[in-house]
Every structure is written in C-alpha cells, then in structure tokens.
Amino acid sequence: MNTYYADLHIHSKYSRATSPECDLIPLHHWAQLKGISVCGTGDCTHPDWSKTLKESLILDQDNGLYTLKPNLRGTLTHQLPESCRAPVHFMLTGEISSIYKRDNQTRKVHSLILLPSLEAAATLNTKLAALGNIFSDGRPILKVDPRNLLEMLLEIDPRCALIPAHIWTPWFSMLGSKSGFDSIEECFGDLTPHIFAVETGLSSDAPMNHRVGFLQKITLVSNSDIHSPARLGRNATRFFGTPSYDNIMAAIKGRAPHLFGGTVDLFPEEGKYYHNGHRSCGVSLTPEQSMACDNLCPACGRMLTIGVLHRVMELAEKHPPLISAKRCPVPPYHHIIPLDELLSHQIGNAITSKRVKAAYLHALATAGPELPLLIDAAAKQLDALNEAGAMIKQVRLGKVHKTPGFDGIYGRIYPQDA
Ligand SMILES: [Zn+2]
Ligand SMILES: [Zn+2]
C-alpha cells in the first residue's frame, strides 16, 4: 500500500512574521526533501498570494489537486538529491483568525480551511472582502463567527472543509483556555456535524486528545503551521493510497484504515505551551504542581499561563471518554524529532550551520526524503546512516529526554544514548 504525507496548514510570505522564502518554488523544493506529497498553499484568502497561485498552478484533472506549472518545477532540481525527486501537489488552504463576541465574551478562534478549486477560493475572497480587510495579512483577522464561516464555505462548494486549527493553544483556538469554548458544539452549534476533524497543534498528540470524550470520534489531523519552508512537515498527516482531493477528504471524514494513516507530531512536550508557567519568571510547572499553588506564580504571584496539558485534563474531567479504550483505540500516531535537530545534537553544531546542512543532505541522498526516513524506513536502511540511524531508532521507541515547553518557550527533546 502506498504511504504518503500531507502538510495542509502553512503560511505564505504574505502572513505576518514569515520568511520571504515562503513562496511556491521553495515550498515545492522543501516538500520533496521532507517527503510531503500534498502541501497546502496556505493563505489562499490573500489577494496577492491568490494571484500568484492562479498564475503558477495548474489543476491536475486526475486527482483534483494542483501542481506547479511545468516550466517552474525544475528551478531548484539541481539542489535536490536524486533520492528525493518526486511529484508535489498543492491543495488550496488558508487560515482565518476569527475575533468576535459570543455571549458578551470576546472569542478568538483560528480555522483551517480547505477548498477544492481556485474558483471556490475566488468566490470566498469576494465574500470575505465584504467583512473586513483581507489584504493586511495572509491569515486575515475577521469579525466572523467560525460557524458562519463554515456555512459560507459549504454554500460556495459542499466539498470545502473547515478544520478548527491547533485546538489547544491558549489564545486563538477553539478549545483554548483564554478565549475559546469547552466543546465543538458550543462553537459550531447546528453545524457541528460538518466538523469531522480537528488539528492537534504543536503541544498535543493523539493520546492526549483521546482523553476527551467528544474528541474520541473525530479525526485528528496534524500540520506544521510553518512560517519558513525548512520547517515543513514538522507535523503532518499520513495517508494511504493515491493522493487526491477526494481521497484526502474521504480519509478525514471516514478514517477508513486503508486511507487514513494518522498523525505525525513532534513530541507534545516540545510545544511552546505544554506546561503551565511564566516565561519572565522562568517558572514551569506540571498541572498538579500548578494547582497546588492555585495556578499563581510562586515568583511573582500573578496568574500562570495555563498550558495545553492542564487544559486537556480540565476538559477530560468535564467530558470523560465515552467509549472504553478497548472498543475505541487511540488513532495511529508517530512522534518525531526533525532530522536536522537530531544531526545538530549529534554533531554539536547549530541547525543552521554548514556542517549540519551538509549532513542533512547527505542523509537524504543515502536514504531518501525525511518523513518516510524517520517513520517508514526499514532498520537496514537506518543502519546505513550509522549514528543518525541509531538516533532515529531511539526516537521511534520513544527513548528520549524531555524538557517541556511553557508560556511561549519551546521545550527541548533529544534522544537517549542507544
Ligand atoms: Zn493559527
Ligand atoms: Zn511570574
């Protein structure tokens, strides 16, 4: 069975705080290095990016996805190891930041949107332009209730989808502790049946999400939400079969084991909001430690920033699992440490150093693109990579050291010695 990877939530150079490299040709290049077969375009609501997409992409009639026009595909091929060269398809995707009032409270919820065609994206943009400024940011901030955004998408084309983005981040997410909700129903009301997937985000994984009753029956997807193409696929979703718009939708809607291969996540402890804490005070606490001091910072006495683990525990208490673990096993998932981080750990130089970059390309030239290498490669292939291969094996077994992230600071994860 063919295995392939998709990373559907990314940002273009038109989003705030992104690299100018977030353009189609570098994305096409990095997708091949990472082993991403289907890459989101990101930011399809931005008029200038949307124009670039229209000029540079063509519809592949065979699968309902888009590819770079042939004259653009070869631009960086000379820099690409032979072992990584593969077709890359693009899906039209974007993210909307909804800031709006519900029940007199300000809510901030991010939604990932998937669209089947450039025409659907153009219609959406006309409608969104009437609601606010879609030029200001690749991820526009609009005063639109996500329920109404979903309704708008389904009216434009019933093949569109809305996936609540990084659902646990304290600010800007459906279940976020600061300005979100306690369930999907509270956010989407009568349209809840049209929400068939949620995005795990950087600080959570499948087992954590599975602790909450209403998330047991929903598909979990994972995406990188990148602001620079070199980070593509740090989180991704795994699929089986032939890549196509309809197959991806069917996999997400039905979770059939012959189509849906589960999530690929960094270890959730690496996320910026795993533990509770205070960045300025250097305080990082587990939910238990935090509750023992009423969630007040032992250093400054102010309220701690509540992390994802705490929020998951809170909602799992409110919405306990509906079905026993036996009858409803945790969906498939894989934890990874990106290859450049492993090599940087092994070599002792920064990820951006020449040595690490050269070792990275050498490993890919030997054993193929990154995600299939980290997840699917046989032991024999890993042996060809010597020390790096041994580290990948340790990561697959979960044998890693973890320093959890908190209050906006990334955690640190590295493999135990074999
Ligand atoms: Zn977001
Ligand atoms: Zn403090």
Side-chain angles (χ1 to χ4, degrees), residues 9 11 95-97 110-111 139 165-166 169 172 199 225 227:
H9 184 173
H11 290 284
E95 187 186 25
I96 308 288
S97 172
H110 284 191
S111 303
R139 183 184 57 209
H166 44 72
T169 30
F172 312 115
E199 189 185 66
D225 199 356
H227 291 65

Side-chain angles (χ1 to χ4, degrees), residues 278 280-281 283 297 299-302 304:
H278 258 176
S280 52
C281 302
V283 168
C297 174
C300 72
R302 285 178 300 128
L304 291 166

Side-chain angles (χ1 to χ4, degrees), residues 65-230:
L65 295 166
Y66 286 81
T67 58
L68 266 188
K69 285 188 174 163
N71 61 319
L72 300 172
R73 276 177 221 161
T75 319
L76 294 171
T77 306
H78 61 286
Q79 294 179 27
L80 202 62
E82 195 90 43
S83 58
C84 295
R85 294 177 195 178
V88 175
H89 284 91
F90 287 93
M91 186 189 284
L92 294 163
T93 65
E95 187 186 25
I96 308 288
S97 172
S98 293
I99 302 188
Y100 62 109
K101 281 226 160 131
R102 176 91 73 81
D103 307 326
N104 256 331
Q105 257 179 285
T106 299
R107 314 286 182 160
K108 299 177 183 175
V109 176
H110 284 191
S111 303
L112 169 66
I113 56 173
L114 314 177
L115 299 97
S117 66
L118 283 165
E119 293 71 30
T123 311
L124 177 68
N125 291 357
T126 310
K127 293 193 176 212
L128 292 182
L131 298 177
N133 187 350
I134 54 171
F135 274 95
S136 62
D137 196 333
R139 183 184 57 209
I141 298 172
L142 297 172
K143 216 163 132 186
V144 60
D145 188 314
R147 185 230 161 257
N148 300 342
L149 175 64
L150 172 55
E151 187 173 47
M152 195 184 284
L153 282 165
L154 294 174
E155 275 169 16
I156 292 169
D157 191 322
R159 294 163 73 214
C160 292
L162 184 152
I163 297 179
H166 44 72
I167 56 170
W168 296 104
T169 30
W171 287 279
F172 312 115
S173 79
M174 180 178 71
L175 302 178
S177 57
K178 293 284 180 188
S179 41
F181 297 88
D182 284 354
S183 70
I184 301 174
E185 267 92 356
E186 280 178 43
C187 186
F188 287 94
D190 58 325
L191 294 187
T192 302
H194 294 277
I195 298 295
F196 40 80
V198 297
E199 189 185 66
T200 57
L202 289 189
S203 300
S204 89
D205 61 6
M208 284 167 75
N209 284 280
H210 211 65
R211 289 164 67 175
V212 179
F214 62 82
L215 295 179
Q216 280 184 308
K217 292 199 121 180
I218 202 152
T219 307
L220 302 173
V221 296
S222 201
N223 299 297
S224 66
D225 199 356
I226 49 149
H227 291 65
S228 125

